[in-house]
Each structure stands twice: as structure tokens, then as C-alpha cells.
Short mmCIF file of all heavy atoms in Angstrom, two decimals:
data_model
loop_
_atom_site.label_atom_id
_atom_site.label_comp_id
_atom_site.label_asym_id
_atom_site.label_seq_id
_atom_site.Cartn_x
_atom_site.Cartn_y
_atom_site.Cartn_z
N ARG H 1132 105.23 79.68 112.98
CA ARG H 1132 105.48 80.79 112.05
C ARG H 1132 106.51 81.78 112.59
O ARG H 1132 106.97 82.65 111.86
CB ARG H 1132 104.17 81.53 111.75
CG ARG H 1132 103.18 80.69 110.95
CD ARG H 1132 101.94 81.48 110.58
NE ARG H 1132 101.10 80.68 109.70
CZ ARG H 1132 100.16 79.81 110.12
NH1 ARG H 1132 99.96 79.66 111.43
NH2 ARG H 1132 99.46 79.11 109.26
N GLU H 1133 106.83 81.64 113.86
CA GLU H 1133 107.79 82.58 114.44
C GLU H 1133 108.52 81.90 115.58
O GLU H 1133 108.00 80.98 116.21
CB GLU H 1133 107.08 83.85 114.92
CG GLU H 1133 108.02 84.99 115.23
CD GLU H 1133 107.30 86.32 115.39
OE1 GLU H 1133 106.07 86.39 115.12
OE2 GLU H 1133 107.97 87.29 115.77
N SER H 1134 109.71 82.38 115.85
CA SER H 1134 110.62 81.75 116.79
C SER H 1134 111.30 82.84 117.63
O SER H 1134 111.08 84.03 117.42
CB SER H 1134 111.68 80.98 115.97
OG SER H 1134 112.79 80.60 116.74
N ARG H 1135 112.10 82.41 118.59
CA ARG H 1135 113.09 83.35 119.10
C ARG H 1135 113.93 83.79 117.90
O ARG H 1135 114.24 82.99 117.02
CB ARG H 1135 114.00 82.67 120.12
CG ARG H 1135 113.30 82.15 121.38
CD ARG H 1135 114.33 81.47 122.26
NE ARG H 1135 113.78 80.90 123.47
CZ ARG H 1135 113.34 79.65 123.60
NH1 ARG H 1135 113.37 78.83 122.55
NH2 ARG H 1135 112.86 79.20 124.75
N ARG H 1136 114.32 85.05 117.88
CA ARG H 1136 115.06 85.56 116.73
C ARG H 1136 116.39 86.15 117.20
O ARG H 1136 116.44 87.01 118.08
CB ARG H 1136 114.23 86.63 116.00
CG ARG H 1136 112.99 86.05 115.33
CD ARG H 1136 112.03 87.13 114.83
NE ARG H 1136 111.25 87.72 115.91
CZ ARG H 1136 111.35 88.97 116.32
NH1 ARG H 1136 112.21 89.80 115.74
NH2 ARG H 1136 110.59 89.41 117.30
N LEU H 1137 117.45 85.65 116.62
CA LEU H 1137 118.80 86.06 116.97
C LEU H 1137 118.98 87.58 116.87
O LEU H 1137 118.42 88.23 116.00
CB LEU H 1137 119.78 85.38 116.01
CG LEU H 1137 121.26 85.78 116.11
CD1 LEU H 1137 121.88 85.19 117.36
CD2 LEU H 1137 122.01 85.31 114.85
N VAL H 1138 119.79 88.13 117.77
CA VAL H 1138 120.34 89.47 117.58
C VAL H 1138 121.65 89.27 116.83
O VAL H 1138 122.66 88.83 117.40
CB VAL H 1138 120.57 90.18 118.92
CG1 VAL H 1138 121.23 91.54 118.68
CG2 VAL H 1138 119.25 90.34 119.67
N GLY H 1139 121.64 89.53 115.54
CA GLY H 1139 122.78 89.22 114.69
C GLY H 1139 123.55 90.44 114.23
O GLY H 1139 123.22 91.59 114.56
N LEU H 1140 124.57 90.17 113.45
CA LEU H 1140 125.38 91.26 112.90
C LEU H 1140 124.55 92.17 112.01
O LEU H 1140 124.81 93.37 111.90
CB LEU H 1140 126.54 90.67 112.09
CG LEU H 1140 127.57 89.85 112.87
CD1 LEU H 1140 128.62 89.29 111.90
CD2 LEU H 1140 128.23 90.69 113.95
N THR H 1141 123.55 91.59 111.35
CA THR H 1141 122.63 92.34 110.49
C THR H 1141 121.22 91.89 110.83
O THR H 1141 121.01 90.73 111.18
CB THR H 1141 122.91 92.05 109.00
OG1 THR H 1141 124.27 92.34 108.72
CG2 THR H 1141 122.01 92.87 108.10
N THR H 1142 120.26 92.79 110.73
CA THR H 1142 118.86 92.44 110.96
C THR H 1142 118.04 92.80 109.73
O THR H 1142 118.13 93.92 109.22
CB THR H 1142 118.30 93.18 112.19
OG1 THR H 1142 119.04 92.80 113.36
CG2 THR H 1142 116.83 92.85 112.41
N VAL H 1143 117.26 91.84 109.27
CA VAL H 1143 116.36 92.09 108.14
C VAL H 1143 115.14 92.82 108.66
O VAL H 1143 114.44 92.35 109.55
CB VAL H 1143 115.94 90.77 107.46
CG1 VAL H 1143 114.99 91.05 106.31
CG2 VAL H 1143 117.16 90.00 106.97
N ARG H 1144 114.88 94.00 108.09
CA ARG H 1144 113.74 94.83 108.48
C ARG H 1144 112.71 94.84 107.36
O ARG H 1144 112.96 94.39 106.24
CB ARG H 1144 114.20 96.26 108.77
CG ARG H 1144 115.42 96.38 109.69
CD ARG H 1144 116.11 97.72 109.44
NE ARG H 1144 116.48 97.86 108.04
CZ ARG H 1144 116.76 99.00 107.44
NH1 ARG H 1144 116.72 100.14 108.12
NH2 ARG H 1144 117.09 99.04 106.16
N GLU H 1145 111.56 95.43 107.65
CA GLU H 1145 110.51 95.49 106.63
C GLU H 1145 111.00 96.24 105.39
O GLU H 1145 110.69 95.85 104.27
CB GLU H 1145 109.26 96.17 107.20
CG GLU H 1145 108.09 96.15 106.22
CD GLU H 1145 106.86 96.85 106.76
OE1 GLU H 1145 106.98 97.69 107.68
OE2 GLU H 1145 105.76 96.57 106.24
N GLN H 1146 111.77 97.31 105.58
CA GLN H 1146 112.26 98.07 104.42
C GLN H 1146 113.11 97.20 103.50
O GLN H 1146 113.21 97.49 102.30
CB GLN H 1146 113.11 99.26 104.90
CG GLN H 1146 112.37 100.26 105.76
CD GLN H 1146 112.55 99.98 107.24
OE1 GLN H 1146 112.39 98.84 107.66
NE2 GLN H 1146 112.89 101.01 108.02
N ASP H 1147 113.71 96.16 104.03
CA ASP H 1147 114.61 95.32 103.24
C ASP H 1147 113.87 94.32 102.37
O ASP H 1147 114.50 93.68 101.52
CB ASP H 1147 115.57 94.57 104.17
CG ASP H 1147 116.38 95.51 105.03
OD1 ASP H 1147 116.86 96.54 104.51
OD2 ASP H 1147 116.53 95.24 106.25
N ILE H 1148 112.57 94.17 102.58
CA ILE H 1148 111.80 93.21 101.78
C ILE H 1148 110.77 93.91 100.88
O ILE H 1148 110.10 93.24 100.09
CB ILE H 1148 111.08 92.18 102.67
CG1 ILE H 1148 110.05 92.86 103.58
CG2 ILE H 1148 112.10 91.39 103.50
CD1 ILE H 1148 109.17 91.91 104.35
N LEU H 1149 110.66 95.23 100.98
CA LEU H 1149 109.70 95.99 100.18
C LEU H 1149 110.34 96.41 98.85
O LEU H 1149 111.55 96.58 98.77
CB LEU H 1149 109.22 97.22 100.93
CG LEU H 1149 108.43 96.96 102.21
CD1 LEU H 1149 108.10 98.28 102.90
CD2 LEU H 1149 107.16 96.18 101.91
N PRO H 1150 109.54 96.61 97.81
CA PRO H 1150 110.10 97.00 96.51
C PRO H 1150 110.70 98.40 96.55
O PRO H 1150 110.22 99.29 97.26
CB PRO H 1150 108.89 96.94 95.57
CG PRO H 1150 107.70 97.11 96.45
CD PRO H 1150 108.06 96.45 97.75
N VAL H 1151 111.77 98.59 95.78
CA VAL H 1151 112.35 99.92 95.63
C VAL H 1151 111.35 100.81 94.89
O VAL H 1151 110.45 100.32 94.21
CB VAL H 1151 113.69 99.86 94.87
CG1 VAL H 1151 114.71 99.04 95.64
CG2 VAL H 1151 113.49 99.28 93.47
N ALA H 1152 111.50 102.09 95.01
CA ALA H 1152 110.57 103.03 94.39
C ALA H 1152 110.48 102.79 92.89
O ALA H 1152 111.49 102.78 92.18
CB ALA H 1152 111.01 104.47 94.66
N GLY H 1153 109.26 102.55 92.42
CA GLY H 1153 109.04 102.34 90.99
C GLY H 1153 109.52 100.99 90.48
O GLY H 1153 109.52 100.75 89.26
N GLY H 1154 109.90 100.08 91.37
CA GLY H 1154 110.46 98.81 90.94
C GLY H 1154 109.64 97.61 91.39
O GLY H 1154 108.57 97.74 91.99
N ARG H 1155 110.19 96.43 91.10
CA ARG H 1155 109.54 95.18 91.46
C ARG H 1155 110.42 94.29 92.32
O ARG H 1155 110.09 93.13 92.56
CB ARG H 1155 109.15 94.40 90.19
CG ARG H 1155 108.23 95.13 89.23
CD ARG H 1155 107.75 94.20 88.13
NE ARG H 1155 108.87 93.61 87.40
CZ ARG H 1155 108.74 92.66 86.46
NH1 ARG H 1155 107.53 92.20 86.16
NH2 ARG H 1155 109.80 92.18 85.83
N VAL H 1156 111.56 94.81 92.78
CA VAL H 1156 112.47 94.05 93.63
C VAL H 1156 112.85 94.88 94.84
O VAL H 1156 112.80 96.11 94.81
CB VAL H 1156 113.75 93.65 92.85
CG1 VAL H 1156 113.43 92.69 91.71
CG2 VAL H 1156 114.48 94.89 92.33
#
């Protein structure tokens, strides 16, 4: 379920997968 994870140009954080305020995406 988890691996070594690259230090990349961009990092996906929890905020990036949560819905926008009042939204569904």
C-alpha cells in the first residue's frame, strides 16, 4: 500500500485530494 516516495517537482498533499468548500471535487 505504500512505497518509497519520490521527492518531485510537485507533491500531492492531503489538501489536494479533499473537496473544495461546499463542493464535491
